[in-house]
Amino acid sequence: LHEYQKKKPAYLPAYALEMQIIMALRRGEVPPLEWDDIDGSFVQINKEQITVKKTKTQKEHFVIVPHTKTYVDRYFPISDNLADFLQRLSAVHQKYYPNSKYLFPADSANGVITNNTIYDFYRRTCNKLGIEVSSEFRKGTHSFRRNAITDVINSSGGNVILASKLFGNSPEVAKKNYFTEIDMENALEC
């Protein structure tokens, strides 16, 4: 991603994908992020971009709604890695997008890139690197989210509530869908 950003510094999908990876965001949570959502110590996630599917009377389009998937706002702490990223993105904004309130602006109906744009960039990058993207395997941008949630749960001694607050899942969903509490003896025998 950093190599791509150096070659094409104004191309925001590369930055959007990096932010999605760093914060383990859902695809729809990335496009509507605003500079006002960033405080000195956290990023507030309080809206998302939803995809309105194509019908007989309308084209597929994207709408920003004032809530997350779970209708719960959350605050993601700014780590050194995220602070470095935000500083680099701010420099890009100052040069190419000085008047946008959004982190990832675009010439679109709602003024931001789409969640499809981020995924399409991810897929093209995987193709260039020879990484197969297949529906048979869980290889998509959501994999970064699964890994981050699992890492937080396992490194915090099973603190599902902490992971739920950081990533916006209920503790029940986290317990059901993420790999936790590894039984090393059983894993080594397999």
Side-chain angles (χ1 to χ4, degrees):
L1 290 174
H2 292 179
E3 286 178 29
Y4 199 95
Q5 292 163 358
K6 286 177 188 172
K7 288 179 188 174
K8 296 186 176 185
Y11 186 69
L12 292 177
Y15 294 93
L17 179 58
E18 183 177 1
M19 187 166 201
Q20 184 178 13
I21 293 168
I22 292 170
M23 294 178 61
L25 295 169
R26 294 179 181 101
R27 283 172 43 172
E29 294 171 342
V30 179
L33 285 170
E34 300 177 18
W35 289 104
D36 285 347
D37 295 329
I38 300 170
D39 179 283
S41 58
F42 63 84
V43 176
Q44 183 178 14
I45 299 114
N46 58 8
K47 55 194 160 295
E48 72 174 314
Q49 181 189 72
I50 59 170
T51 305
V52 179
K53 298 292 182 187
K54 176 182 171 182
T55 67
K56 291 180 183 179
T57 59
Q58 70 180 5
K59 295 180 184 178
E60 178 179 89
H61 62 283
F62 302 88
V63 177
I64 295 175
V65 294
H67 59 78
T68 63
K69 178 180 177 182
T70 58
Y71 292 85
V72 177
D73 293 356
R74 63 187 196 276
Y75 301 88
F76 195 90
I78 296 179
S79 63
D80 291 342
N81 191 24
L82 182 54
D84 173 66
F85 168 80
L86 292 170
Q87 188 174 27
R88 289 185 291 110
L89 183 61
S90 179
V92 168
H93 263 261
Q94 289 172 12
K95 185 170 184 177
Y96 300 103
Y97 309 99
N99 299 318
S100 179
K101 69 178 184 175
Y102 293 107
L103 272 65
F104 307 106
D107 186 18
S108 65
N110 57 23
V112 299
I113 63 174
T114 69
N115 50 36
N116 287 354
T117 303
I118 300 167
Y119 186 77
D120 290 344
F121 173 72
Y122 166 78
R123 189 180 35 75
R124 286 191 316 272
T125 301
C126 287
N127 286 340
K128 280 186 176 182
L129 296 172
I131 299 169
E132 181 183 351
V133 177
S134 168
S135 60
E136 295 175 29
F137 305 105
R138 292 192 169 190
K139 288 185 194 172
T141 55
H142 202 75
S143 294
F144 300 117
R145 182 172 170 77
R146 275 190 220 81
N147 291 343
I149 293 170
T150 299
D151 286 349
V152 167
I153 292 171
N154 288 334
S155 66
S156 66
N159 192 337
V160 176
I161 293 172
L162 171 65
S164 297
K165 288 197 179 291
L166 280 174
F167 302 107
N169 291 102
S170 70
E172 294 76 27
V173 167
K175 286 178 187 176
K176 179 180 171 190
N177 294 314
Y178 299 100
F179 184 63
T180 60
E181 301 174 27
I182 187 168
D183 178 352
M184 288 303 285
E185 282 185 41
N186 190 20
L188 290 171
E189 287 177 17
C190 293

